[in-house]
Amino acid sequence: MPHTYTYPRPALTVDIVVFGFDEGDLKVLLIQRGCEPFAGRWALPGGFVHLDETLEQAAERELSEEAGLRDVFLEQLYTFGALDRDPRERVVTVAYYALVKMSGHHLQASTDARAAAWHAVHALPSLAFDHAGILETALIRLKGKVRYQPIGFELLPAKFTLTQLQHLYEVILGRALDKRNFRKKILSMDLLVETAEVEQGVAHRAARLYRFDERKYRRLTERGFSFEI
Amino acid sequence: MPHTYTYPRPALTVDIVVFGFDEGDLKVLLIQRGCEPFAGRWALPGGFVHLDETLEQAAERELSEEAGLRDVFLEQLYTFGALDRDPRERVVTVAYYALVKMSGHHLQASTDARAAAWHAVHALPSLAFDHAGILETALIRLKGKVRYQPIGFELLPAKFTLTQLQHLYEVILGRALDKRNFRKKILSMDLLVETAEVEQGVAHRAARLYRFDERKYRRLTERGFSFEI
DNA sequence: CCAAAAGTGTTTCACTTACACCCATGA
DNA sequence: TCATGGGTGTAAGTGAAACACTTTTGG
């Protein structure tokens, strides 16, 4: 690393792909832009990195400011640095992806009064900048990671049925899973604890609710256990 | 993303963890710093991102300038943005990792006359900045990725013996592998082609040399094949 | 009593693992 | 001829995949 600091600098932003899961569909949180460029177009939440905050803090701040989301699963995705990704000037963006329990978070009106809304991943509008590419990268990451890390639970309510969990995996992985084999496998990992409750308000036999046991997972991981679907 | 561009900006650099494999050891390329801070300490090759180059181009340029390396495997690793990672001012760095065939590349004296040298991963000097953490992250990535992507070959000469390949995996994964099972598995993938040659200059039966067949791999991948050790 | 989803075991097959000896070569 | 690594097959065990019916509940 040179010792001079005289180069002109690219601008640095963070953008966040926020995933949710609802009504059997994978969703992404988008914000409608109020000004040029791409005024009126949908975009990922994000903004400039301040000098007194880390990248992750910048992402958390933007999530909080633009959508009222706090305390969600957040992980760095990739850094995008194409020369023309912003038509005005050189902007490098560090992309994150977040997983939120949609049932537990209500979207707040964004601080600066721009519209924030959930969109089904399979029915997206045209996006601003290179955000379609960022989203695509996030989907690939999610699809890969969900198989060997227990992050799927971040998208479900704290208590969920095995069928909900299976549907989640089916949507993310894009293929059907065998019900018996899925249950056998997930229960054999000993990561879920059965609650005393069952789902409410269904017109058929009510399914038992389970909870993901984070402590158990950590203990197993330390002993060399590795999650895999 | 806001529409104003008035914020002060962090400096933006790239740093590269260059892995090599030689004499049964995994190595990393380090550069001895000539000036403060950390004058005399070893550091990862890297430098500022220019406005007219992508992040990957910046990494390639630094590799070429500081070590004379060109046309190597290069992949983005992670972006590090801790507030105090550079004692002078705020610097965000996009880290890459590279895999090079040590037998095929000679280290050139660096353009600006700083020393570049290979260090065994298990006998590293104290590093400048947060470079020890970056290197650690790269090792974890390499260890994970080598199991499900055929990137190990990037570290070996174009023609190699099965024993060399096995040793490479053993060093990266940090555990012994069974010789017969390893050969069975790797050959059953049908990714290696036997050359007519054998290794030279050994005081025992000479091993056959193999070549990784990139075309075959791509064709298999398109048909849903997935590499796994 | 009907519709709808919950819940449950067994068999088959493929893959992984463990394991030991003879062979070829150069010194 | 000896030291050194090259090269090879089989059996046992484990985990994945395929597959269909009964149970519970609310309407």
Side-chain angles (χ1 to χ4, degrees):
Chain A
M1 191 183 300
H3 59 288
T4 54
Y5 279 77
T6 55
Y7 298 100
R9 297 166 179 194
L12 188 67
T13 61
V14 290
D15 286 300
I16 308 105
V17 181
V18 186
F19 288 111
F21 182 71
D22 193 32
E23 293 164 15
D25 246 353
L26 192 61
K27 314 249 174 169
V28 179
L29 180 67
L30 298 176
I31 299 215
Q32 197 160 28
R33 288 181 57 81
C35 53
E36 293 298 335
F38 301 105
R41 288 273 273 283
W42 294 91
L44 298 175
F48 287 96
V49 176
H50 299 174
L51 285 186
D52 62 352
E53 64 187 2
T54 65
L55 301 168
E56 186 160 324
Q57 284 164 359
E60 284 168 353
R61 178 180 50 73
E62 291 293 344
L63 277 184
S64 165
E65 285 177 11
E66 299 199 323
L69 292 173
R70 299 186 60 190
D71 297 319
V72 300
F73 173 94
L74 186 68
E75 187 173 280
Q76 191 180 302
L77 175 63
Y78 195 79
T79 299
F80 295 83
L83 296 181
D84 57 353
R85 47 177 307 281
D86 189 306
R88 295 162 295 188
E89 69 160 325
R90 183 74 194 284
V91 182
V92 169
T93 195
V94 183
Y96 282 75
Y97 72 103
L99 305 179
V100 316
K101 301 175 198 296
M102 281 181 66
S103 52
H105 292 276
H106 297 276
L107 286 189
Q108 283 180 10
S110 122
T111 323
D112 44 7
R114 288 182 284 161
W118 292 103
H119 293 252
V121 163
H122 298 294
L124 289 174
S126 150
L127 299 186
F129 304 104
D130 57 353
H131 289 188
I134 297 177
L135 209 155
E136 181 64 22
T137 305
L139 273 170
I140 291 169
R141 170 79 62 94
L142 179 62
K143 206 162 160 171
K145 195 127 191 172
V146 88
R147 292 187 56 181
Y148 63 92
Q149 295 249 279
I151 58 175
F153 306 103
E154 303 288 344
L155 290 164
L156 291 178
K159 292 170 185 171
F160 51 86
T161 70
L162 293 182
T163 301
Q164 280 181 300
L165 184 62
Q166 182 180 340
H167 285 342
L168 172 65
Y169 275 98
E170 288 178 332
V171 167
I172 295 177
L173 298 178
R175 64 189 165 92
L177 300 172
D178 180 86
K179 180 162 68 161
R180 278 176 288 191
N181 292 335
F182 180 81
R183 285 166 180 245
K184 221 182 311 171
K185 183 153 191 178
I186 206 93
L187 290 177
S188 75
M189 290 182 195
D190 197 31
L191 291 174
L192 300 189
V193 296
E194 208 174 293
T195 70
E197 299 163 65
V198 294
E199 61 180 341
Q200 301 296 322
V202 288
H204 54 77
R205 177 172 176 178
R208 188 162 293 159
L209 293 173
Y210 289 82
R211 216 164 33 74
F212 172 65
D213 191 332
E214 180 79 36
R215 301 170 75 98
K216 258 187 186 168
Y217 173 65
R218 275 203 289 264
R219 249 180 290 135
L220 285 171
T221 301
E222 285 159 16
R223 291 177 200 170
F225 163 84
S226 86
F227 180 89
E228 192 171 343
I229 292 287
Chain B
M1 194 182 296
H3 58 289
T4 54
Y5 278 75
T6 56
Y7 299 100
R9 297 167 179 192
L12 188 66
T13 61
V14 290
D15 286 300
I16 309 106
V17 181
V18 186
F19 288 111
F21 182 71
D22 194 31
E23 295 163 12
D25 246 351
L26 192 62
K27 314 248 175 170
V28 179
L29 180 67
L30 298 176
I31 300 218
Q32 197 160 28
R33 289 181 57 79
C35 53
E36 292 297 334
F38 300 105
R41 286 273 273 282
W42 293 92
L44 298 174
F48 287 97
V49 175
H50 298 174
L51 284 185
D52 61 352
E53 64 187 1
T54 66
L55 300 169
E56 186 161 323
Q57 284 164 359
E60 284 167 353
R61 178 181 50 73
E62 291 292 344
L63 277 185
S64 167
E65 287 177 10
E66 299 200 323
L69 292 172
R70 298 187 62 191
D71 299 317
V72 300
F73 173 94
L74 186 67
E75 187 173 281
Q76 192 182 302
L77 175 63
Y78 195 80
T79 299
F80 295 83
L83 297 182
D84 57 353
R85 47 178 305 284
D86 189 307
R88 295 162 294 187
E89 69 160 324
R90 183 73 193 284
V91 182
V92 169
T93 195
V94 183
Y96 281 77
Y97 72 103
L99 305 179
V100 317
K101 302 176 199 295
M102 281 180 67
S103 51
H105 292 276
H106 296 276
L107 286 189
Q108 283 179 11
S110 126
T111 322
D112 43 7
R114 288 183 284 161
W118 292 102
H119 292 252
V121 163
H122 297 295
L124 290 173
S126 151
L127 299 186
F129 304 104
D130 57 353
H131 288 187
I134 297 177
L135 210 156
E136 180 66 19
T137 305
L139 272 170
I140 291 169
R141 171 78 62 94
L142 179 61
K143 204 162 162 170
K145 196 127 189 171
V146 88
R147 293 187 56 180
Y148 62 91
Q149 295 250 280
I151 57 174
F153 306 104
E154 303 288 344
L155 291 165
L156 292 178
K159 293 171 186 170
F160 50 85
T161 70
L162 293 182
T163 300
Q164 279 182 299
L165 185 62
Q166 182 180 341
H167 286 341
L168 172 65
Y169 275 98
E170 288 178 332
V171 167
I172 294 177
L173 298 178
R175 65 189 162 92
L177 300 173
D178 180 88
K179 180 162 68 162
R180 277 177 289 192
N181 292 336
F182 180 81
R183 285 166 179 245
K184 221 182 311 171
K185 184 152 190 179
I186 207 91
L187 290 177
S188 75
M189 290 182 194
D190 198 31
L191 291 175
L192 299 189
V193 297
E194 207 174 294
T195 70
E197 300 162 65
V198 295
E199 61 180 339
Q200 300 295 322
V202 288
H204 53 76
R205 179 173 174 179
R208 188 162 293 160
L209 293 173
Y210 290 81
R211 214 164 36 71
F212 174 63
D213 191 331
E214 179 80 35
R215 301 170 76 98
K216 258 187 184 167
Y217 173 63
R218 274 202 289 264
R219 250 180 289 134
L220 286 171
T221 301
E222 283 160 16
R223 291 177 199 169
F225 163 83
S226 85
F227 180 88
E228 194 172 339
I229 291 289

